Amino acid sequence: MNGSNEKFGKAYYQKYYLNEKTRVSDQAAINKLAAFASAYFRFLDIDVYQILDMGCGVGHWQKATRKHFPSARYKGVEFSEYLCKKHGWTQGSVVDYRDSKTYDFVVCQGVLQYLDNKQCKLAVENLASLTNAVLYLQALTMTDWEENADQNVTDGEVFLRSSKWYRRYLSDFFISIGGGLFVKKDLNLVLYDLEKLCL
């Protein structure tokens, strides 16, 4: 990972997630994402019983999934030693974390930009191996940094890549259905042509 585990200590999460003036996201934003995902899954008749949050941070997705996926079991995996001690997450990296089972819904938000190209490719492969239905993926791209992100509250000490770079590797395993959601190619799911986004 870019930098050591020391980068992801108390000060990092206080600045980007807990301080109202400098945070990049909050619980309300994740609640909206979870509501969107759960509604789309119902439309597609995808049942979610197991959720894996790779890079679970301060636990926003855990709280959101309790409301929008009440029958699902949630597991949080986090690289930060500080947060694992604080919240009891399972410590691991998206690059090489292994599990004995796969998950219906895997979340990986704001993680891949901290990996160099080699690590990032491995992470995409690993996410595919952990996902049996749908992946939600969000990673800061070059365009996001230049046009979309508030640079005053977004960590710029990352590896900025194009969306095309990500899509090239994701397309080996997933079909994009919009909104950051990617369905496994081997899932027996009927998608109309215009529901799919070109990767």
Side-chain angles (χ1 to χ4, degrees), residues 29 58 63 66 73 82 87 97 117 123-125 140 143-145 159 167 176 189 193:
V58 296
K63 293 174 184 174
R66 283 182 190 148
R73 296 188 66 180
Y82 161 74
H87 296 286
Y97 174 76
N117 286 357
V124 170
E125 292 175 11
L140 188 72
T143 299
D144 290 327
W145 178 252
F159 294 94
R167 292 178 189 281
S176 174
L189 182 69
D193 211 23

Side-chain angles (χ1 to χ4, degrees), residues 32-52:
K32 287 181 182 178
L33 273 174
F36 160 70
S38 65
Y40 205 173
F41 293 171
R42 287 194 301 273
F43 170 71
L44 295 172
D45 291 322
I46 296 174
D47 295 319
V48 175
Y49 302 106
Q50 300 283 343
I51 298 171
L52 177 65

Side-chain angles (χ1 to χ4, degrees), residues 106-192:
V106 175
V107 174
C108 185
Q109 183 175 19
V111 174
L112 296 191
Q113 66 260 32
Y114 289 98
L115 306 175
D116 64 29
N117 286 357
K118 181 179 179 181
Q119 290 175 316
C120 196
K121 290 176 193 176
L122 292 172
V124 170
E125 292 175 11
N126 198 38
L127 287 168
S129 73
L130 292 165
T131 307
N132 63 49
V134 184
L135 167 70
Y136 171 73
L137 179 66
Q138 183 270 320
L140 188 72
T141 68
M142 281 187 281
T143 299
D144 290 327
W145 178 252
E146 293 167 2
E147 300 179 11
N148 301 321
D150 181 348
Q151 295 187 14
N152 294 313
V153 296
T154 303
D155 186 6
E157 294 181 17
V158 295
F159 294 94
L160 293 173
R161 293 175 279 257
S162 68
S163 60
K164 184 177 179 180
W165 189 97
Y166 285 103
R167 292 178 189 281
R168 184 174 69 185
Y169 295 103
L170 287 163
S171 66
D172 289 339
F173 311 101
F174 297 99
I175 299 168
S176 174
I177 58 172
L181 296 174
F182 298 83
V183 175
K184 281 295 288 287
K185 280 188 168 180
D186 56 7
L187 188 66
N188 187 22
L189 182 69
V190 175
L191 292 168
Y192 284 91

Side-chain angles (χ1 to χ4, degrees), residues 89-100:
W89 309 132
T90 298
Q91 188 164 18
S93 168
V94 66
V95 175
D96 55 15
Y97 174 76
R98 298 289 184 266
D99 206 318
S100 59

Side-chain angles (χ1 to χ4, degrees), residues 16-19 22-30 60 109 153:
Y16 291 112
Y17 292 93
L18 301 176
N19 187 319
T22 59
R23 65 189 178 194
V24 68
S25 183
D26 61 13
Q27 187 65 57
I30 304 307
H60 289 328
Q109 183 175 19
V153 296

